């Protein structure tokens, strides 16, 4: 089994961060990192690199290395569960780590485990629950639950020194040359499988062989050597109770691979088994700052590079052609409109100049339009900052939940910009009720998001999943919404509404002009289909990796590429929007406000189609609640993407319309 090449190009290693407790060294190292950060940005504009998210921990020989559990996940159910939701061996005192907002929303519940691991100390085989003469007995209910989790293909996620456990997968890349070339490709699977099925029988992985790699740090001659954990692997095994020979000291002897039978879990009766583990240490040349390379480097990197570059070239080529067409046509139009009066008398006016008296006529529902555009500005600012900061390596996977936490807080604080742009546009559209407009801007999009998430959360609660947002966290999010975002939106809306409205170059007639009958290709839905192709093509490749990271529990770390794709998305949305609004005005249809916003977000329709395709062909989801979660969260993604691209296209078209009508002489 191979992993989807989902996550990333290897980040560039920096110098190791200082040891814990050395404040002066930490300050000096941070100064060096800042200078190196600027240098690497200049040298590698589209590449992502890794800035350590936490200070490294130095271990001495025989120091305890704590093994913690994160959660159980499955791409088939999309429902994470706590580690102790299954009858694993528990320590004397269960202690949960205090999670940040991002970890809670991700369903992480980090808890201690009874595994006793010491730095550079080998363990051949040890019983976990310290009952060698009294094996663990699973009740019928527990056996059913374990069998159900195995059937649903659940993975167990552990961490050691904040480094996630991985299962090594080795296979031949070319079957035909297997005899000639015995080198194997190595990939890593995040976590380890809870168990496996053979026919209708369930088998549990009850023995874990931990393989930890350490890097020996350089110290002075008379000092005790220090070590840092740089890789955490596991080999899960299923070994029958009778084949595990345990003594009074909780030590056990593993059987030979050829003569052992797996530990079956019969869901119809009680089952007895032993949980055991072994620990093996190996020295590695990998430095601490590069230890995430194993998890972030996936296969088919060259294919990914080729796809990204190909997408960039095609989009720039098509955008250049569209730009040349629109500029040449516009120059010809403006030159014709600005000819002498005697020439104008001999020719009949036609085209976009005819609607100059109606093109800036306020549309229907100006408050809703300005509110949606304000939310789009809020999303745009949040996404731009998050991708840029992540590209610098400051939201690395080692800082669990940092990406989602940062995104939530940034969306709250960007409300001041969303309110400002919404307020100014609302006044430009002759709006007067600014307080109601500000409330609409602050609640319309966030209210839809919160409502959908609340309904989905109720279903997750019903499944007792750790992915359910706890009630205190939900109250905290509501307090952030009404205590931070809403006042900032009101503040920005107030200043935006008081600012001078956008200056339109032509006056609006009192009587609306009659709109001629439009051709079939000027239909809104046809326009959405036409306008959405190019932006969707710009981000299609990244969309696959993002979906793999979200729905298949992969790491995503291609933020350098993502930033480049985001810039291309902005350019392509802007140019397509300009072309579409030009064609519409040439057809003497001046109702472009809402149409431009809807058509510019046309790529969201293709994202929805791709999400359905991904669900049918890539995921193995058959149950109702996982399907509901997938389509519920996908609907939020599509809505957010529509607001983002629609806002980009609207403001590009608005600037274009003001520019062309300011360039012609109108009596």
């Amino acid at each position: 089994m191979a992993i989807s090449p989902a996550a990333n190009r290897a980040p560039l290693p920096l110098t190791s961060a200082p040891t814990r407790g050395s404040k002066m060294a930490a300050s000096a190292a941070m100064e060096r990192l800042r200078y190196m950060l600027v240098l690497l940005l200049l040298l590698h504009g589209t590449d992502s690199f890794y800035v350590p998210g936490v200070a490294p921990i130095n271990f001495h020989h025989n120091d305890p290395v704590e093994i913690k559990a994160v959660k159980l996940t499955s791409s088939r159910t999309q429902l994470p569960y706590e580690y102790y939701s299954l009858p694993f061996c528990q320590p004397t005192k269960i202690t949960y780590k205090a999670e940040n907002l991002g970890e809670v929303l991700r369903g992480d519940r980090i808890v201690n485990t009874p595994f006793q691991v010491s730095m550079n100390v080998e363990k051949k085989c040890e019983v976990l629950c310290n009952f060698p003469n009294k094996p663990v007995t699973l009740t019928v209910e527990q056996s059913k639950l374990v069998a159900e989790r195995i059937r649903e293909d659940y993975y167990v996620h552990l961490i050691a020194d904040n480094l996630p456990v991985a299962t090594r997968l080795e296979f031949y890349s070319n079957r035909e040359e297997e005899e000639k070339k015995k080198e194997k490709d190595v990939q890593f699977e995040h976590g380890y499988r809870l168990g496996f099925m053979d026919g209708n029988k369930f088998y549990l992985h009850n023995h874990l062989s931990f393989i930890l790699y350490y890097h020996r740090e350089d110290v002075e001659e008379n000092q005790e050597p220090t070590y840092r954990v740089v890789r955490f692997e596991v080999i899960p095994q299923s070994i029958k109770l009778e084949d595990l020979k345990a003594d009074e000291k909780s030590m056990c002897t593993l059987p030979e691979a050829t003569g052992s039978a797996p530990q079956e879990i019969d869901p119809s009766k009680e089952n007895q088994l032993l949980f055991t583990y072994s620990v093996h240490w190996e020295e590695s040349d990998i430095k601490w700052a590069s230890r995430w390379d194993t998890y972030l480097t996936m296969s088919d990197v060259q294919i990914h590079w080729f796809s990204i570059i190909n997408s960039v070239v095609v989009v720039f080529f098509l955008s250049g052609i569209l730009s040349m067409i629109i500029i040449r046509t516009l120059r010809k139009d403006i030159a014709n409109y600005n000819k002498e009066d005697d020439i104008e008398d001999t020719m009949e006016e036609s085209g976009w100049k005819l609607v100059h008296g109606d093109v800036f006529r306020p549309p229907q529902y100006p408050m809703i339009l300005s509110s949606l555009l304000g939310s789009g500005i809020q999303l745009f600012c949040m996404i731009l900052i998050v991708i840029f900061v992540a590209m610098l390596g400051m939201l690395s996977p080692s800082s669990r939940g940092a990406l989602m936490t940062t995104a939530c807080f940034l969306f709250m604080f960007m409300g001041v910009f969303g309110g400002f742009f919404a307020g100014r546009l609302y006044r430009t559209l002759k709006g007067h009720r600014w307080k109601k407009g500000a409330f609409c801007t602050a609640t319309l999009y966030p209210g839809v998001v919160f409502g959908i998430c609340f309904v989905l959360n109720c279903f997750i609660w019903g499944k007792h999943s750790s992915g359910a947002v706890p009630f205190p966290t939900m109250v905290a999010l509501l307090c952030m919404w009404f205590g931070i975002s809403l006042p900032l939106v009101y503040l920005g809306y107030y200043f935006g509404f008081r600012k001078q409205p956008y200056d339109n170059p032509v006056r609006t007639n009192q009587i609306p002009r009659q709109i001629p009958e439009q051709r079939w290709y000027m239909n809104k839905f046809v326009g959405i289909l036409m306008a959405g192709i190019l932006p969707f093509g710009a981000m299609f490749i990244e969309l696959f990796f993002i979906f793999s990271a979200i729905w298949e529990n992969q790491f995503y770390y291609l933020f350098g590429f993502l930033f480049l794709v985001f810039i291309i998305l902005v350019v392509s949305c802007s140019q397509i929007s300009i072309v579409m609004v030009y064609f519409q005005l040439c057809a003497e249809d001046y109702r472009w406000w809402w149409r431009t916003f809807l058509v510019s977000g046309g790529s969201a329709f293709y994202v929805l189609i791709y999400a359905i395709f991904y669900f049918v062909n890539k995921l193995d989801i058959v149950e109702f609640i996982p399907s509901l979660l997938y389509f519920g969260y996908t609907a939020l993604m599509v809505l957010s993407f529509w607001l983002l691209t629609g806002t980009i296209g609207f403001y590009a078209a608005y600037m274009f319309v003001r520019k062309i009508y300011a360039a012609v002489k109108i009596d």
Side-chain angles (χ1 to χ4, degrees):
M1 175 181 177
I3 303 177
S4 170
N8 187 359
R9 177 178 169 81
L12 302 178
L14 301 180
T15 52
S16 298
T19 57
R20 185 173 55 186
S22 173
K23 294 184 178 179
M24 293 181 65
S27 177
M30 288 304 296
E31 288 296 322
R32 290 196 299 271
L33 283 176
R34 289 193 187 100
Y35 290 117
M36 194 172 298
L37 191 66
V38 176
L39 179 62
L40 286 171
L41 270 176
L42 295 175
L43 293 177
H44 300 273
T46 60
D47 204 355
S48 59
F49 57 91
Y50 174 63
V51 177
V54 291
I57 299 178
N58 286 343
F59 296 93
H60 298 289
H61 181 75
N62 207 28
D63 280 354
V65 179
E66 192 171 8
I67 307 294
K68 294 183 178 182
V70 181
K71 58 184 174 182
L72 310 170
T73 63
S74 169
S75 60
R76 295 185 61 184
T77 67
Q78 302 298 330
L79 292 169
Y81 287 96
E82 293 186 28
Y83 179 72
Y84 290 122
S85 64
L86 292 181
F88 292 119
C89 293
Q90 299 182 3
T92 306
K93 181 181 179 182
I94 297 178
T95 306
Y96 284 90
K97 170 186 170 294
E99 290 97 0
N100 57 38
L101 178 62
E103 289 176 315
V104 173
L105 296 179
R106 280 163 41 95
D108 293 354
R109 300 294 184 268
I110 301 177
V111 65
N112 60 329
T113 62
F115 295 106
Q116 301 293 325
V117 178
S118 301
M119 172 57 70
N120 211 7
V121 175
E122 301 272 332
K123 284 188 177 182
K124 291 186 177 181
C125 182
E126 187 168 312
V127 179
L128 188 59
C129 294
N130 296 324
F131 295 124
N133 297 325
K134 185 180 179 183
V136 177
T137 301
L138 303 183
T139 63
V140 177
E141 290 76 13
Q142 291 175 333
S143 300
K144 286 182 179 178
L145 183 61
V146 171
E148 180 70 13
R149 295 289 181 263
I150 294 174
R151 186 184 64 82
E152 293 171 340
D153 200 19
Y154 267 85
Y155 283 74
V156 183
H157 297 272
L158 306 174
I159 54 173
D161 188 27
N162 200 37
L163 203 61
V165 72
T167 304
R168 178 189 292 261
L169 301 175
E170 296 181 347
F171 55 92
Y172 292 100
S173 58
N174 194 335
R175 296 287 183 183
E176 296 178 357
E177 299 181 1
E178 186 172 337
E179 297 299 328
K180 301 178 182 178
K181 185 179 179 182
K182 289 294 183 180
E183 295 181 4
K184 295 181 179 180
D185 284 343
V186 177
Q187 292 185 10
F188 291 92
E189 209 171 39
H190 306 306
Y192 71 89
R193 288 178 178 271
L194 177 64
F196 61 94
M197 290 182 64
D198 185 5
N200 293 324
K201 294 185 177 180
F202 303 91
Y203 299 97
L204 176 68
H205 286 141
N206 60 321
H207 177 80
L208 301 179
S209 298
F210 294 131
I211 305 174
L212 292 103
Y213 294 78
Y214 64 87
H215 179 75
R216 188 190 299 267
E217 297 299 309
D218 296 330
V219 295
E220 297 180 2
E221 294 183 1
N222 297 328
Q223 290 185 344
E224 185 180 357
T226 58
Y227 311 93
R228 292 175 180 174
V229 179
V230 294
R231 188 186 293 178
F232 182 25
E233 295 180 17
V234 65
I235 301 175
Q237 293 175 268
S238 180
I239 304 176
K240 197 173 181 180
L241 173 65
E242 290 75 11
D243 294 338
L244 284 169
K245 300 175 182 178
D247 57 20
E248 296 294 335
K249 298 180 180 179
S250 297
M251 305 301 291
C252 54
T253 304
L254 293 176
E256 295 185 5
T258 56
S260 62
Q263 175 63 55
E264 182 182 353
I265 301 296
D266 190 343
S268 61
K269 64 179 183 180
E270 292 185 350
N271 293 270
Q272 289 190 332
L273 70 155
L274 284 177
F275 288 102
T276 58
Y277 70 103
S278 59
V279 181
H280 175 63
W281 289 90
E282 289 188 18
E283 188 169 1
S284 173
D285 295 331
I286 300 174
K287 293 187 177 181
W288 185 88
S290 305
R291 65 178 189 164
W292 277 85
D293 292 12
T294 302
Y295 305 89
L296 303 180
T297 305
M298 294 297 171
S299 64
D300 297 334
V301 174
Q302 292 181 348
I303 295 176
H304 184 82
W305 268 101
F306 175 77
S307 300
I308 291 292
I309 295 173
N310 183 60
S311 176
V312 170
V313 171
V314 170
V315 167
F316 272 124
F317 178 71
L318 293 178
S319 300
I321 292 177
L322 292 173
S323 302
M324 286 196 307
I325 292 174
I326 201 74
I327 290 172
R328 290 186 63 182
T329 308
L330 271 175
R331 283 179 178 174
K332 182 180 178 181
D333 288 347
I334 293 173
N336 290 334
Y337 291 149
N338 291 338
K339 284 182 179 179
E340 298 297 331
D341 294 338
D342 57 343
I343 300 178
E344 286 186 355
D345 294 337
T346 62
M347 60 184 294
E348 183 181 355
E349 280 191 352
S350 63
W352 51 268
K353 186 182 178 183
L354 287 178
V355 295
H356 66 84
D358 299 276
V359 70
F360 293 108
R361 186 179 303 280
Q364 289 183 319
Y365 314 113
M367 184 183 294
I368 298 178
L369 177 63
S370 59
S371 299
L372 292 175
L373 290 168
S375 297
I377 291 291
Q378 206 171 342
L379 277 171
F380 177 82
C381 296
M382 181 266 287
I383 292 173
L384 181 65
I385 296 174
V386 165
I387 295 177
F388 183 76
V389 173
M391 183 183 67
L392 302 183
M394 298 178 185
L395 298 177
S396 67
S398 62
S399 303
R400 298 179 183 279
L403 185 69
M404 195 171 293
T405 304
T406 305
C408 289
F409 278 97
L410 272 176
F411 183 80
M412 301 290 177
F413 287 107
M414 291 301 107
V416 66
F417 295 103
F420 178 84
F421 281 91
R424 191 176 184 190
L425 181 65
Y426 183 58
R427 185 174 182 185
T428 304
L429 299 179
K430 313 299 182 184
H432 301 289
R433 296 176 295 176
W434 75 269
K435 293 181 181 178
K436 187 176 180 180
F439 182 79
C440 185
T441 304
T443 57
L444 185 58
Y445 169 70
V448 172
V449 173
F450 185 82
I452 293 177
C453 290
F454 180 78
V455 172
L456 295 178
N457 203 52
C458 292
F459 285 98
I460 302 175
W461 263 335
K463 285 288 188 177
H464 306 288
S465 168
S466 64
V469 179
F471 185 74
T473 305
M474 196 171 293
V475 173
L477 287 172
L478 283 174
C479 292
M480 289 170 58
W481 179 11
F482 290 105
I484 300 176
S485 180
L486 190 138
L488 287 177
V489 170
Y490 264 90
L491 181 67
Y493 209 97
Y494 173 76
F495 285 104
F497 191 79
R498 288 193 55 174
K499 192 174 178 61
Q500 185 72 19
Y502 294 111
D503 183 26
N504 297 327
V506 292
R507 293 194 300 268
T508 302
N509 297 334
Q510 292 184 353
I511 302 175
R513 178 186 176 88
Q514 186 175 1
I515 300 172
E517 186 177 352
Q518 301 294 305
R519 300 290 183 92
W520 66 268
Y521 51 80
M522 296 304 296
N523 183 272
K524 287 182 182 178
F525 187 71
V526 176
I528 288 173
L529 293 179
M530 292 172 59
I533 294 176
L534 188 60
F536 178 75
M539 45 87 66
F540 168 72
I541 299 298
E542 289 306 310
L543 190 66
F544 166 75
F545 289 100
I546 291 172
F547 268 64
S548 298
I550 294 175
W551 302 113
E552 297 186 37
N553 297 309
Q554 304 288 344
F555 287 118
Y556 184 86
Y557 203 62
L558 282 170
F559 293 107
F561 285 127
L562 188 60
F563 184 78
L564 178 63
V565 169
F566 183 73
I567 299 300
I568 297 171
L569 180 68
V570 171
V571 173
S572 58
C573 279
S574 302
Q575 294 185 336
I576 284 292
S577 175
I578 289 171
V579 171
M580 298 302 290
V581 77
Y582 173 73
F583 287 153
Q584 182 181 351
L585 294 178
C586 286
E588 302 179 21
D589 185 358
Y590 54 83
R591 299 170 302 182
W592 63 274
W593 300 89
W594 273 105
R595 183 186 176 95
T596 300
F597 181 63
L598 294 172
V599 169
S600 301
S603 52
F605 174 75
Y606 289 96
V607 173
L608 177 62
I609 297 300
Y610 177 77
I612 297 173
F613 169 81
Y614 191 89
F615 177 83
V616 173
N617 290 276
K618 299 293 183 181
L619 298 179
D620 189 20
I621 298 177
V622 293
E623 296 181 4
F624 170 71
I625 291 182
S627 303
L628 183 67
L629 294 178
Y630 179 85
F631 285 106
Y633 290 129
T634 298
L636 291 181
M637 291 173 58
V638 171
L639 173 64
S640 303
F641 191 73
W642 172 65
L643 283 178
L644 174 68
T645 53
T647 302
I648 294 169
F650 175 85
Y651 276 99
Y654 190 27
M655 289 188 289
F656 168 76
V657 171
R658 291 171 59 200
K659 192 76 173 176
I660 63 173
Y661 282 99
V664 296
K665 299 176 183 178
I666 297 173
D667 295 333

